[in-house]
Amino acid sequence: MSLPSSRTRWVSDFFSYETTKSVVVKSWVVGVVNRGVQLLILTYFVGWVFLHEKAYQVRDTAIESSVVTKVKGVGRYAGQVMDTADYVTPPQGTSVFVVVTKQIRTEEQAQGVCPESEAAFHCSADRDCRELSPGTSNGVLTGRCVPYNATLRTCEIQGWCPPEVDTIDVPVMLEAENFTLLIKNSIRFPLFGFEKTNLPPPGSGVELGRCRFHPQLQPLCPILRLGDVARLAGQDFPALAATGGVLGIKIGWVCDLDRAWERCLPRYSFTRLDSLARTPAPGYNFRHARYYRWPDGSERRTLIKAFGIRFDVLVYGSAGKFGIVPTLINTVAAFTSIGVGTVLCDIILLNFLKGAEHYKARKFEEVSEAGVPATPSACPPGALGTCSRDKQSTDSGTFSLGL
């Protein structure tokens, strides 16, 4: 082919026009596949997209929240009666707080020098101490090996003395299982200006002073028993109180604002947040000290290693309300997706069914402008065997093929 002829063909193809040609195929297989795919797509959009996911709504996930907590209960520990001021920290009632269930106390510590109590610092001579790292968990090594008791020598430290011994067994305040926790949660969805609180409104049938949360009987009561929180999180309270741990109290607000205001309700769920698997130091504990002065003016302190249960109140949520824009977008997407059935049926017809070549000849046709007759031609009266008898509509150009 010469170069001018090739250019002419390229120009001719570039300025060609493609239009849709409708061909009606009378086939049960293709018809069932087409309607089945359309039904599945329509069911997906109506059932899942619109009814379940509520895609016709504008959604606000930027929830604003405040949490105030209050623990109540009195327990006995080491011969003392302890109230919330003794075992709750911090005392401000924040969304993260600790209920102390076990304490190791080191009384009357003062600045000075003393033998280290940890087994890693046992020694027989000063050179054993000089070879070690200068810092310990209780102080700074002086480089001397001194008697710890009548039979044992350890490295001397400078710091708060006597050093802490945290390997002793101490009791657990099991009364904490019956302590109660009040959670006051206020939320706001700024996009809609919607505000609500988890406290039951007057006339709701929930008496705030006497109710206790229960997932089936009292799911809206904001007063929770600590033992129930641990149980609903899948934990054993005595074991958890002995080692400490972190529990999450999740409050979910998933609201459909197309419904009544009263239908927007919180849902509580519980989980343990600190993983026990592959943890070298399981549990939760921390140290704090109480300082005071003796009459001689010297500063003393009581060091407390506290084991307890940390509670994290986590609030999440979203709200939705009808919007014309998402409704139109998802409606158009639904009708557009129905065309997937046509694509699938074309693949079956063009490649797998008997008569595929005949269907290709009818579906893809090239017509030149010079070959278009002035009026539609009809079959001559005697041309029964050579003239096509395919049904053709004169208004839309639709062919009907029987396969």
Side-chain angles (χ1 to χ4, degrees):
M1 183 181 294
S2 63
L3 184 60
S5 176
S6 176
R7 290 179 178 177
T8 302
R9 172 63 66 88
W10 183 86
V11 173
S12 176
D13 291 343
F14 180 76
F15 287 102
S16 63
Y17 170 70
E18 295 181 0
T19 183
T20 303
K21 180 180 180 180
S22 298
V23 180
V24 178
V25 181
K26 300 297 182 64
S27 170
W28 279 98
V29 175
V30 178
V32 170
V33 171
N34 183 40
R35 298 307 180 192
V37 171
Q38 291 178 347
L39 180 61
L40 288 175
I41 294 174
L42 190 62
T43 302
Y44 166 76
F45 273 92
V46 173
W48 178 264
V49 176
F50 283 97
L51 296 182
H52 186 272
E53 294 295 318
K54 295 181 173 60
Y56 58 86
Q57 292 183 332
V58 177
R59 305 205 68 81
D60 184 6
T61 58
I63 185 173
E64 298 174 354
S65 170
S66 69
V67 174
V68 177
T69 59
K70 182 180 292 186
V71 180
K72 286 187 176 182
V74 176
R76 290 183 176 274
Y77 185 81
Q80 296 181 343
V81 176
M82 304 183 68
D83 57 18
T84 54
D86 297 314
Y87 60 76
V88 176
T89 182
Q92 290 83 6
T94 61
S95 60
V96 179
F97 62 94
V98 179
V99 174
V100 177
T101 55
K102 187 173 75 171
Q103 298 179 356
I104 298 177
R105 293 171 172 260
T106 306
E107 305 280 356
E108 298 183 2
Q109 283 189 321
Q111 284 286 328
V113 292
C114 54
E116 176 60 89
S117 60
E118 296 182 8
F121 296 94
H122 292 177
C123 61
S124 58
D126 291 348
R127 64 176 178 274
D128 298 332
C129 301
R130 298 192 183 101
E131 295 173 355
L132 300 175
S133 175
T136 74
S137 60
N138 292 314
V140 179
L141 293 176
T142 64
R144 297 174 56 199
C145 182
V146 297
Y148 183 79
N149 53 35
T151 60
L152 180 65
R153 295 173 64 87
T154 63
C155 296
E156 185 182 59
I157 62 168
Q158 181 179 4
W160 289 97
C161 297
E164 177 190 59
V165 179
D166 60 356
T167 57
I168 61 176
D169 291 330
V170 292
V172 179
M173 187 172 62
L174 295 178
E175 291 93 339
E177 186 173 5
N178 295 314
F179 294 170
T180 59
L181 167 64
L182 168 64
I183 302 176
K184 294 189 288 185
N185 176 216
S186 300
I187 59 100
R188 180 175 182 268
F189 292 104
L191 182 62
F192 307 115
F194 180 87
E195 299 179 355
K196 200 170 184 186
T197 179
N198 70 324
L199 298 180
S204 63
V206 179
E207 190 173 351
L208 185 59
R210 297 182 179 179
C211 74
R212 293 294 181 270
F213 175 84
H214 188 278
Q216 285 81 38
L217 303 179
Q218 294 283 349
L220 299 179
C221 180
I223 300 178
L224 302 91
R225 181 175 165 270
L226 299 189
D228 293 337
V229 174
R231 178 178 55 82
L232 293 172
Q235 304 298 314
D236 178 67
F237 189 88
L240 185 65
T243 61
V246 183
L247 298 182
I249 302 174
K250 297 186 287 186
I251 306 178
W253 296 86
V254 181
C255 300
D256 183 358
L257 301 186
D258 293 326
R259 308 170 77 177
W261 180 87
E262 296 81 6
R263 303 293 293 273
C264 179
L265 300 172
R267 291 186 177 182
Y268 297 84
S269 59
F270 311 90
T271 185
R272 181 162 185 175
L273 298 178
D274 59 324
S275 175
L276 293 177
R278 300 179 182 178
T279 302
Y284 178 81
N285 62 78
F286 62 96
R287 289 176 173 85
H288 64 99
R290 296 175 181 175
Y291 296 86
Y292 54 94
R293 289 190 180 274
W294 273 22
D296 61 1
S298 61
E299 185 180 39
R300 301 295 177 100
R301 76 173 188 179
T302 297
L303 178 65
I304 302 172
K305 182 178 181 180
F307 295 78
I309 305 174
R310 195 181 88 179
F311 295 89
D312 292 14
V313 182
L314 311 173
V315 181
Y316 67 94
S318 63
K321 197 172 186 179
F322 174 80
I324 189 64
V325 173
T327 302
L328 291 177
I329 291 175
N330 287 281
T331 301
V332 171
F335 284 108
T336 304
S337 300
I338 291 178
V340 174
T342 303
V343 176
L344 181 60
C345 290
D346 281 348
I347 294 174
I348 296 175
L349 282 172
L350 290 171
N351 298 278
F352 302 106
L353 283 187
K354 182 180 179 180
E357 295 298 326
H358 182 52
Y359 174 71
K360 289 179 183 179
R362 289 297 186 181
K363 180 173 176 62
F364 305 108
E365 183 177 358
E366 184 175 328
V367 180
S368 62
E369 186 177 5
V372 178
T375 57
S377 60
C379 293
L384 297 177
T386 60
C387 184
S388 173
R389 290 297 180 181
D390 290 331
K391 298 177 183 179
Q392 182 175 13
S393 170
T394 58
D395 57 342
S396 65
T398 301
F399 286 91
S400 178
L401 299 179
L403 297 181

